Amino acid sequence: MAEAHQAVAFQFTVTPEGLDFHLSREAVRQLYLAGISSWKKRLVRAKNSFLTGVYPASPSSWMVVVMATAGSFYCQVDPSLGMIARIRHCLPESRLLSYESRTMVSAALFSTGVWLSAVVLFRQALKLLLSYHGWMFEPHGKMSRSTRIWVALMKVLSVRKPLLYSFQTSLPKLPVPSVEATITRYLESVRPLMDDEKYSKMEALAKEFKEKTAPRLQKYLILKSWWTTNYVSDWWEQYIYLRGRSPLMVNSNYYAMDFLYVTPSHIQAARAGNVVHAILLYRRKLDRGEIPPMMALGIVPMCSYQSERMFNTTRIPGKETDTLLHLVDSKHLAVYHKGRFYKVWLYYGGQLLRPRDLELQFQRILDDPSAPQPGEERLAALTAGERVPWAEARARFFSHGKNKASLDAIERAAFFLTLDEEEHGYRPGREGCMDAYAKSLLHGQCYDRWFDKSFTLVVYKNGKLGANAEHSWADAPIIGHLWEFMLATDKFQLGYTEGGHCLGEPDTLLAPPQRLQWDIPQECCAAIEGSYRLAKALADDVDFCCFQFSDFGKGLIKKCRTSPDAFIQISLQLAHFRDKGCFCLTYEASMTRLFREGRTETVRSCTAESTAFVRSMGDPRQTRAERQRLFKLAADKHQHMYRMAMTGAGIDRHLFCLYVVSRYLGVQSPFLAQVLSEPWRLSTSQTPQQQLKMFDLNKYPDHVSTGGGFGPVADDGYGVSYIIAGENLITFHVSSKFSSSETDSKRFGSNIRQAMLDVAELFDKPAEKGGK
């Protein structure tokens, strides 16, 4: 029990002579090292906060200004036009400060003022430059003179290597579109979905809203845009996510997958050790702000605000609304295995545990023969069910004693890890393996993921892994950034021995993982069982089809002179029409991170242009040339709408905020009520690929990512996620519900595949077999 003794700094016993103290040198040493590590972290954060605050200037530029001013002054050239003399006159006379010393201090103060003024000027200039989005609307390969000048100025002001938050305060605010423009675009988006009678009614509602109700609502919204950093994001987080009372599992959370073809180690504990260490390395870089921001065109920064709550964050249930608990730091991990919960410390002596030490800790959990305590095995089902029962159970059964201590250990953990007992992943020739993999990550057994954590890392028995992420704190590209770093670091930097273990020798003196203790009464067990039954019914209803499209990829699509995203979105419209015989309101997620605290906007992919093309594909009278022309129009329209959404001229976030204002004011709007009630029967999203470029995908083509997916948004609709990985592979994740007679994920997947081939055939580019 050496570890237990080391965990106590001192002990004492009462003797006839008084108190006899016994200090543990090892414990005191660990406390000292932990304190040193903590102060180092604070100093690094303070330094990086300063560097971020003065960007694009630097401390060295301040020194140059001070030295130049001092040198000029002593050469009898006064660059301050008398200001240095005035400052010197205001300084108190002292025996400690001679005339020359006061002159130097005055020069330093003047130089600092000049330097700070320049910093403010540069940052305002940078903000003005970042408000320019004309570059996005220019034809591919062509650049106007104004854009060339803008690029040159951006490069001059961004010459220093930025930190993660260097551009945050220079990013422009998300603009509020005009009501007239938003309503015009909205009516245009629903026209192909409505007959003349329905459209006339909607047009009348829109006109009444624009003339009578909207002006008042718009004034409040503009006032909010002046007062807040982003007029959408706080309400979006609050009303779309945190106030939702339905289960997070399937309805809100999403998942991410491992490499498609490669598994670096098939030893579960070893793979967990490496990836957890890689994730912690990313967290350390994130804490220090040392990760470079994502940049469009290599010079346009995207907002990094969402990254702040990636770790040490949990969604806490409430009866009316949930809240997000975010801690500055967390030094432990919560682990689940075979119905048991553990607390694993991530530091020893103020240093991160090495991968081999983490492997040892996880192997100890895997080897633990103890059984779950009563009610413990399915405890996490509370996070999978509806929010109100979970909030009530949490307040009643987890607010004191050992239950509170154990729940705190989970909710205050850096993140959650599940050592899963199943085996999943891509297996050539095994039908349905990817579908089962997707379902496992989306919902698991409904009690082996902590759906409230910012993300749950899942490591399977065969070494394959994945993640389940909660959606309120950030959007998928943020997790995707971490995911790419983790996979690349695991495979190309940390590595494994020939036997598949983590490198190095383990420290066998480490204290073993702490088993969390519970005292769960029968009433709580009944609540757990109720949440489990509801979650199980929801999970069993999810129909998944995850497949690889390897006939061609973005290489061939670009030869069709269109963007890969537009090509796939139009193909999805063709597939949906063939699947259901009709068009539907289509949601594609676009980001607004060119603005401060921006999140997402909706691209309404079902347009008059895309429906005209789809109809032409079913009309034998149409020529190939005409279909090509219609496709080009549809693709150009889609790209234009995507750019409009990215630059703050979308439709849905503006209408959503107008609706929130109307509810605050107690104003009833039939138009807004109709807009907000329309179901998204086709919800789509593209998973970003190679955001970090930590390895060359052309050199390692087998290391493609599988991306991730989500559940269907509508009960009678489809959810489609796709990742364009490499030149010859696109992976699709299609979800729907078995309970709907209108949907079938496999059927829709087949329609997607055929639609992609049919569209490609239009351009006389024979599909070349590629990939695996």
Side-chain angles (χ1 to χ4, degrees):
M1 296 297 291
E3 300 90 351
H5 288 297
Q6 291 173 5
V8 181
F10 67 90
Q11 299 174 346
F12 68 91
T13 56
V14 179
T15 67
E17 289 77 22
L19 294 177
D20 183 18
F21 287 91
H22 301 280
L23 287 174
S24 169
R25 293 182 180 179
E26 178 61 21
V28 171
R29 176 176 172 273
Q30 293 304 320
L31 292 174
Y32 168 75
L33 292 175
I36 292 295
S37 175
S38 177
W39 276 105
K40 283 183 178 178
K41 185 182 294 185
R42 292 180 187 179
L43 290 174
V44 170
R45 283 178 178 171
K47 181 196 77 172
N48 288 339
S49 294
F50 173 75
L51 294 176
T52 295
V54 300
Y55 187 87
S58 65
S60 58
S61 66
W62 173 78
M63 288 292 297
V64 169
V65 173
V66 171
M67 293 176 66
T69 303
S72 300
F73 195 79
Y74 278 104
C75 290
Q76 297 184 348
V77 177
D78 185 4
S80 70
L81 302 177
M83 285 296 298
I84 292 177
R86 293 182 184 179
I87 296 172
R88 182 182 57 208
H89 180 72
C90 294
L91 291 178
E93 295 187 6
S94 171
R95 295 179 181 177
L96 299 177
L97 283 176
S98 63
Y99 179 84
E100 290 78 9
S101 298
R102 283 189 294 145
T103 301
M104 290 183 64
V105 171
S106 302
L109 290 174
F110 171 77
S111 303
T112 301
V114 170
W115 180 74
L116 289 175
S117 299
V119 168
V120 173
L121 181 63
F122 283 143
R123 292 183 76 87
Q124 288 301 314
L126 192 57
K127 190 169 188 175
L128 185 64
L129 288 172
L130 291 174
S131 300
Y132 173 74
H133 299 123
W135 58 272
M136 192 175 292
F137 295 91
E138 294 182 350
H140 183 68
K142 297 181 180 179
M143 191 179 292
S144 65
R145 180 181 298 177
S146 58
T147 299
R148 291 179 187 276
I149 295 172
W150 171 79
V151 169
L153 291 173
M154 281 296 302
K155 287 182 177 180
V156 169
L157 287 180
S158 307
V159 65
R160 279 189 59 228
K161 184 179 179 181
L163 297 173
L164 181 62
Y165 302 113
S166 291
F167 292 101
Q168 280 300 98
T169 56
S170 298
L171 289 172
K173 286 188 175 184
L174 183 69
V176 181
S178 70
V179 172
E180 184 175 358
T182 296
I183 290 179
T184 299
R185 287 193 291 268
Y186 169 77
L187 291 174
E188 181 184 350
S189 73
V190 298
R191 184 63 186 97
L193 303 174
M194 296 180 176
D195 57 30
D196 293 342
E197 183 182 353
K198 287 184 178 179
Y199 182 74
S200 295
K201 290 180 180 178
M202 179 56 75
E203 205 172 24
L205 288 175
K207 183 179 180 181
E208 180 187 17
F209 172 74
K210 181 174 67 174
E211 294 176 352
K212 296 181 179 180
T213 312
R216 182 186 177 198
L217 305 182
Q218 181 78 345
K219 289 177 182 177
Y220 280 97
L221 203 55
I222 291 174
L223 181 62
K224 182 177 189 283
S225 73
W226 293 345
W227 180 254
T228 61
T229 307
N230 188 295
Y231 82 94
V232 175
S233 294
D234 56 342
W235 282 352
W236 187 254
E237 178 180 301
Q238 182 69 24
Y239 293 107
I240 298 300
Y241 292 118
L242 296 180
R243 283 187 178 269
R245 303 293 81 198
S246 59
L248 303 183
M249 186 195 78
V250 175
N251 296 322
S252 179
N253 286 24
Y254 56 94
Y255 65 86
M257 286 183 170
D258 199 357
F259 289 126
L260 179 57
Y261 303 121
V262 173
T263 306
S265 174
H266 292 281
I267 300 176
Q268 186 177 17
R271 189 80 198 281
N274 254 17
V275 297
V276 167
H277 185 78
I279 289 172
L280 294 174
L281 291 178
Y282 186 90
R283 185 179 73 159
R284 183 165 64 186
K285 286 177 174 288
L286 189 65
D287 287 345
R288 296 175 176 178
E290 294 174 349
I291 300 171
M294 289 299 301
M295 309 282 277
L297 293 182
I299 56 172
V300 185
M302 298 184 190
C303 179
S304 302
Y305 165 74
Q306 294 181 58
S307 301
E308 294 179 3
R309 297 180 294 182
M310 183 177 295
F311 297 98
N312 329 319
T313 299
T314 304
R315 180 167 169 169
I316 305 298
K319 290 185 178 181
E320 294 183 0
T321 181
D322 293 352
T323 55
L324 286 174
L325 170 69
H326 173 67
L327 305 177
V328 175
D329 196 12
S330 177
K331 298 186 181 299
H332 72 275
L333 185 68
V335 183
Y336 178 92
H337 177 248
K338 280 190 175 181
R340 305 158 305 173
F341 292 87
Y342 298 84
K343 180 178 182 179
V344 177
W345 292 103
L346 300 172
Y347 292 82
Y348 183 73
Q351 301 295 318
L352 280 175
L353 289 186
R354 297 169 300 168
R356 190 67 180 88
D357 293 331
L358 288 167
E359 179 186 348
L360 170 67
Q361 298 293 63
F362 298 142
Q363 192 60 52
R364 285 171 168 174
I365 292 174
L366 294 173
D367 295 340
D368 185 357
S370 62
Q373 300 163 71
E376 181 182 19
E377 182 177 13
R378 294 183 176 177
L379 174 62
L382 289 169
T383 69
E386 292 182 338
R387 305 305 290 170
V388 173
W390 173 207
E392 293 173 345
R394 187 178 185 277
R396 183 179 177 188
F397 304 113
F398 298 91
S399 58
H400 59 275
K402 62 175 67 175
N403 286 350
K404 184 180 187 303
S406 294
L407 183 62
D408 282 347
I410 295 173
E411 293 180 340
R412 293 174 175 270
F415 56 95
F416 194 82
L417 168 66
T418 293
L419 297 172
D420 206 292
E421 300 171 68
E422 296 182 347
E423 296 186 1
H424 284 289
Y426 175 67
R427 298 178 186 178
R430 184 171 175 180
E431 187 178 354
C433 61
M434 294 299 291
D435 306 346
Y437 186 16
K439 281 179 66 67
S440 175
L441 289 173
L442 186 65
H443 54 69
Q445 301 294 328
C446 303
Y447 55 78
D448 51 359
R449 319 276 185 258
W450 199 270
F451 295 100
D452 288 355
K453 288 300 291 184
S454 55
F455 67 94
T456 294
L457 176 67
V458 182
V459 182
Y460 293 103
K461 197 172 183 179
N462 60 344
K464 215 67 182 173
L465 56 85
N468 181 288
E470 202 275 316
H471 212 323
S472 65
W473 63 274
D475 301 308
I478 308 303
I479 279 289
H481 199 277
L482 162 70
W483 206 245
E484 287 186 14
F485 178 92
M486 178 203 73
L487 292 177
T489 303
D490 169 36
K491 173 63 179 177
F492 296 102
Q493 295 183 17
L494 299 178
Y496 298 87
T497 66
E498 290 184 4
H501 292 280
C502 298
L503 299 176
E505 293 295 327
D507 183 356
T508 56
L509 295 179
L510 284 174
Q514 176 186 342
R515 178 78 184 274
L516 299 184
Q517 299 299 312
W518 308 93
D519 183 13
I520 301 176
Q522 285 300 315
E523 296 92 333
C524 185
C525 289
I528 294 171
E529 189 62 25
S531 291
Y532 171 71
R533 284 196 301 268
L534 186 146
K536 185 71 164 58
L538 180 60
D540 289 344
D541 195 25
V542 176
D543 178 19
F544 246 104
C545 178
C546 181
F547 65 95
Q548 287 73 49
F549 181 87
S550 56
D551 295 84
F552 57 84
K554 66 180 178 182
L556 184 143
I557 294 173
K558 287 181 178 178
K559 292 178 182 178
C560 300
R561 296 183 179 180
T562 187
S563 76
D565 185 67
F567 184 98
I568 293 172
Q569 284 292 328
I570 295 170
S571 298
L572 288 175
Q573 291 300 315
L574 177 58
H576 187 274
F577 187 78
R578 289 173 174 176
D579 186 83
K580 287 191 174 184
C582 65
F583 298 103
C584 70
L585 197 61
T586 304
Y587 182 111
E588 183 188 6
S590 165
M591 66 89 178
T592 55
R593 289 169 59 204
L594 296 176
F595 302 95
R596 192 171 180 185
E597 295 186 16
R599 291 197 60 161
T600 61
E601 178 57 276
T602 305
V603 178
R604 292 176 167 238
S605 301
C606 184
T607 62
E609 290 81 0
S610 66
T611 57
F613 167 74
V614 169
R615 292 187 191 281
S616 75
M617 293 295 287
D619 185 353
R621 296 171 296 177
Q622 295 286 358
T623 63
R624 177 184 292 248
E626 179 63 11
R627 289 171 178 170
Q628 288 178 344
R629 186 186 71 84
L630 292 172
F631 176 84
K632 177 65 174 166
L633 289 174
D636 289 346
K637 178 66 174 181
H638 181 270
Q639 287 180 267
H640 178 74
M641 290 196 310
Y642 203 98
R643 291 162 180 162
M644 292 286 285
M646 287 183 66
T647 53
I651 300 169
D652 291 275
R653 299 302 179 268
H654 185 204
L655 292 176
F656 161 75
C657 288
L658 289 172
Y659 176 75
V660 174
V661 174
S662 73
R663 294 299 301 269
Y664 278 134
L665 298 177
V667 176
Q668 297 296 322
S669 170
F671 170 73
L672 290 177
Q674 176 70 20
V675 171
L676 271 295
S677 65
E678 292 170 341
W680 300 97
R681 290 192 171 89
L682 181 56
S683 182
T684 69
S685 178
Q686 179 183 174
T687 304
Q689 168 77 350
Q690 288 285 293
Q691 297 183 87
L692 298 180
K693 296 180 175 62
M694 291 180 66
F695 65 94
D696 187 353
L697 197 55
N698 295 321
K699 188 176 179 181
Y700 300 96
D702 284 351
H703 290 71
V704 293
S705 174
T706 323
F710 51 88
V713 174
D715 290 339
D716 56 351
Y718 291 108
V720 181
S721 176
Y722 51 93
I723 180 170
I724 305 169
E727 296 296 316
N728 298 298
L729 180 66
I730 303 171
T731 298
F732 286 92
H733 303 252
V734 181
S735 64
S736 62
K737 291 192 175 181
F738 287 115
S739 56
S740 172
S741 59
E742 299 180 26
T743 58
D744 184 309
S745 293
K746 287 182 175 58
R747 184 185 72 208
F748 191 47
S750 298
N751 283 325
I752 292 173
R753 187 186 298 276
Q754 190 58 52
M756 295 275 289
L757 293 171
D758 290 347
V759 173
E761 189 180 355
L762 281 179
F763 297 89
D764 285 325
K765 302 291 184 181
E768 300 174 0
K769 295 289 181 179
K772 293 194 176 184

